[in-house]
């Protein structure tokens, strides 16, 4: 079904007026047409590998598509993600050079009241365009956009016929408060199926839009259990792209000579227990008592494993989760007395990263419930997150349960 043409670029109230602006937050109070939970994809096996190139992301995705023809369209999206990550990696690397003039603040505040860095804005634009030009997206939501952006119709820049449409949610430059100091940052992306029954009248502006049209734009408000794919790119000593399509977690490293992401971490399995905590410990006194007590036991070597934990915290979620996937441990940004829902956003931080961690055999919880099962009510909703090694996170869940 071809959707109507619509120009719906929604921008912050402090800048350009949008063709469609929504004064109320999107809420999922009534039933949304949301695709059913995705089927498990079949993972490829590589019998023959070129010694020079290894398994590139392109080969990986095309073999996934051969095994799972129903998700062939995802290869196009991952082509765009790959290009965007390479471009963002270059931007981040060059940003330290005085000639790049990309460090510092943009002078705008996003809808969450955070000062936008220049690179937040540049990378948001870059990723938005890369995804939009695939023609496979119906709607996207980003940390840097006030409300979801409708991409259906000619405004998406390319014309496609029928074909699956997806919803992308992303944080283009997570950890950007670190970027001026050259500390690792990342991009986080989640992909849901879009409700193809959504038709939006191109003339619908503000209150002229029906509840149904507003809900179609709000198609981003799906729980993590509906994710069909999630990925992050980490801009660090190397550039990594780690993804899940619901059948394990796979890590690729950018071979700068080839210009290709090469499979370097196949089927990542997070250690079942470890001895690393990764929290902003300045907030400890305000945490919930069960978490405070569990972390205090770990530090004293009196937790379930008896190991004495040590602390590693970059303050960049992608970097901290990447280390946690490889070395094990517990990364978290829990709720506290000041911010009961913590700091991280459910849609484009908590849910996609939880999908990746769970697919690597780990757990992700708020303490009281599985992050993946929470249905967002608003796009920029925050969520407490405690994720990582299965046994360690289970210890936190048990402490919360015992306290009830
Ligand atoms: P940032 O504000 O630099 O974008 O949610 C964003 C985030 O970074 C995460 O990447 C990171 O884990 C967290 O905030 C760090 O917050 P604190 O500075 O409060 O520790």
């Amino acid at each position: 079904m071809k959707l109507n043409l619509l120009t719906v670029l929604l921008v912050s109230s402090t800048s350009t007026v949008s063709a469609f602006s929504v004064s109320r937050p999107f809420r999922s109070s009534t039933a949304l047409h949301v695709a059913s939970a995705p089927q498990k994809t079949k993972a490829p096996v590589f019998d023959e590998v070129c010694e020079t190139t290894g398994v590139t992301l392109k080969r990986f995705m095309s073999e996934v598509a051969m095994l799972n023809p129903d998700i062939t369209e995802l290869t196009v999206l991952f082509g765009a993600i790959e290009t965007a990550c390479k471009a963002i990696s270059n931007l981040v690397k060059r940003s330290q050079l005085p000639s790049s003039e990309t460090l510092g603040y943009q002078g705008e505040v996003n809808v969450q009241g955070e000062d936008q860095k220049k690179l937040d804005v540049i990378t948001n634009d870059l990723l938005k365009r890369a995804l939009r030009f695939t023609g496979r997206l119906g709607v996207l939501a980003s940390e840097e956009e006030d409300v979801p952006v409708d991409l259906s119709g000619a405004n998406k820049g390319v014309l496609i016929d029928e074909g699956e449409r997806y919803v992308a949610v992303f944080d283009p430059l997570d950890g950007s408060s670190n970027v001026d100091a050259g500390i690792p940052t990342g991009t986080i992306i989640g992909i849901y199926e879009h409700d193809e029954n959504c038709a939006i009248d191109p003339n619908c502006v503000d209150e002229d839009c029906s509840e149904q049209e507003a809900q179609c734009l709000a198609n981003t408000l799906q729980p993590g259990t509906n994710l069909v794919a999630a990925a992050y790119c980490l801009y660090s000593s190397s550039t990594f792209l780690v993804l899940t399509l619901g059948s394990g977690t796979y890590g690729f490293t950018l071979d700068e000579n080839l210009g290709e992401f090469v499979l370097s971490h196949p089927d990542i399995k997070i250690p079942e227990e470890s001895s690393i905590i990764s929290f902003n410990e300045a907030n400890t006194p305000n945490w919930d008592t069960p978490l405070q007590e569990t972390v205090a036991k770990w530090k004293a070597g009196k937790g379930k494993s008896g190991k004495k934990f040590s602390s590693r915290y970059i303050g960049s979620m992608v970097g901290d989760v990447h280390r946690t996937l490889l070395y094990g441990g517990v990364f978290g940004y829990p709720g506290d007395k000041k911010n009961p829902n913590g700091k991280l956003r459910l849609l484009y931080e908590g849910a996609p990263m939880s999908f990746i961690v769970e697919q690597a055999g780990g757990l992700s919880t708020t303490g009281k419930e599985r992050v993946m099962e929470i249905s967002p009510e608003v796009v920029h909703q925050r969520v407490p997150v405690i994720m990582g090694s299965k046994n360690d996170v289970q210890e936190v869940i048990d402490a919360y349960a015992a306290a009830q």
Side-chain angles (χ1 to χ4, degrees):
M1 185 196 67
K2 224 171 194 153
L3 297 186
N4 290 323
L5 310 185
L6 179 65
T7 304
V8 190
L9 284 175
L10 298 153
V11 287
S12 109
S13 53
T14 52
S15 54
T16 332
V17 176
S18 63
F20 176 105
S21 54
V22 178
S23 46
R24 59 191 181 281
F26 285 109
R27 301 195 80 85
S28 59
S29 47
T30 50
L32 277 177
H33 298 282
V34 166
S36 55
Q39 301 289 316
K40 206 169 167 58
T41 50
K42 291 186 199 124
V45 178
F46 301 98
D47 296 329
E48 209 185 317
V49 176
C50 169
E51 279 172 20
T52 314
T53 63
V55 174
T56 62
L57 177 59
K58 289 186 184 76
R59 176 177 172 199
F60 181 88
M61 287 308 296
S62 76
E63 298 222 7
V64 167
M66 282 190 272
L67 285 170
N68 309 273
D70 50 320
I71 58 167
T72 302
E73 301 281 321
L74 273 183
T75 56
V76 182
L77 281 184
F78 270 93
I81 291 168
E82 176 181 356
T83 309
C85 287
K86 286 180 200 167
I88 296 173
S89 171
N90 285 337
L91 281 168
V92 168
K93 242 185 267 171
R94 283 195 53 79
S95 67
Q96 298 298 317
L97 297 170
S99 60
S100 88
E101 297 184 355
T102 51
L103 294 185
Y105 291 98
Q106 175 76 9
E108 300 281 342
V109 175
N110 69 16
V111 72
Q112 299 149 81
E114 296 163 341
D115 290 323
Q116 283 181 309
K117 291 270 171 122
K118 283 186 195 162
L119 276 170
D120 283 326
V121 177
I122 297 169
T123 55
N124 182 57
D125 209 42
L126 195 156
L127 191 54
K128 193 166 78 178
R129 282 171 204 241
L131 290 168
R132 183 161 72 98
F133 295 153
T134 64
R136 265 60 175 187
L137 279 192
V139 180
L140 62 79
S142 157
E143 178 178 23
E144 306 305 334
E145 303 281 341
D146 292 1
V147 284
V149 178
D150 183 278
L151 299 174
S152 56
N155 189 52
K156 65 183 174 291
V158 289
L159 288 174
I160 54 158
D161 293 324
E162 300 186 12
E164 285 190 74
R165 286 174 189 279
Y166 291 100
V167 172
V169 293
F170 57 81
D171 184 350
L173 197 62
D174 191 71
S176 61
S177 61
N178 285 320
V179 78
D180 288 7
I183 307 296
T185 49
T187 299
I188 305 173
I189 301 158
I191 296 172
Y192 294 94
E193 282 180 1
H194 182 48
D195 177 7
E196 296 212 12
N197 296 317
C198 274
I200 306 164
D201 186 327
N203 300 316
C204 110
V205 178
D206 282 341
E207 304 306 321
D208 299 341
C209 296
S210 67
E211 190 66 19
Q212 158 78 7
E213 285 166 336
Q215 287 200 3
C216 282
L217 281 175
N219 216 204
T220 45
L221 299 181
Q222 302 190 40
T225 46
N226 279 5
L227 280 163
V228 290
Y232 66 74
C233 299
L234 170 64
Y235 314 111
S236 184
S237 57
S238 294
T239 301
F240 300 93
L241 194 158
V242 175
L243 62 85
T244 182
L245 304 169
S247 225
T249 293
Y250 292 81
F252 298 80
T253 304
L254 183 61
D255 181 331
E256 309 223 354
N257 291 327
L258 289 176
E260 296 280 351
F261 279 104
V262 175
L263 184 60
S264 50
H265 299 76
D267 202 9
I268 297 173
K269 292 287 171 233
I270 181 168
E272 288 199 354
E273 64 183 34
S274 181
S275 54
I276 301 172
I277 46 165
S278 186
F279 296 91
N280 183 337
E281 292 179 63
N283 299 329
T284 309
N286 290 328
W287 292 347
D288 296 336
T289 310
L291 183 63
Q292 277 192 38
E293 289 177 355
T294 309
V295 169
K297 279 189 207 159
W298 286 341
K299 286 182 179 175
K302 292 186 175 155
K304 279 219 171 103
S305 67
K307 290 180 188 162
K308 196 166 179 329
F309 280 50
S310 80
S311 178
R312 298 279 184 279
Y313 185 70
I314 305 168
S316 256
M317 182 186 196
V318 176
D320 283 316
V321 172
H322 188 74
R323 184 202 52 249
T324 304
L325 273 179
L326 300 183
Y327 295 176
V330 182
F331 163 79
Y333 211 109
D336 59 41
K337 287 193 193 104
K338 225 170 93 199
N339 302 300
N341 288 321
K343 178 179 183 192
L344 304 176
R345 271 52 59 111
L346 172 58
L347 207 52
Y348 41 82
E349 292 179 309
M353 295 303 258
S354 297
F355 192 25
I356 290 168
V357 165
E358 286 193 2
Q359 284 298 317
L363 292 179
S364 177
T365 179
T366 65
K368 296 173 189 153
E369 57 188 322
R370 187 177 163 220
V371 173
M372 291 279 284
E373 286 176 5
I374 303 173
S375 285
E377 293 194 341
V378 290
V379 173
H380 301 291
Q381 182 171 324
R382 295 178 195 266
V383 67
V385 169
I386 299 158
M387 58 170 64
S389 292
K390 193 172 145 207
N391 295 352
D392 301 332
V393 177
Q394 188 61 49
E395 207 173 326
V396 177
I397 296 171
D398 292 344
Y400 271 88
Q404 283 198 337

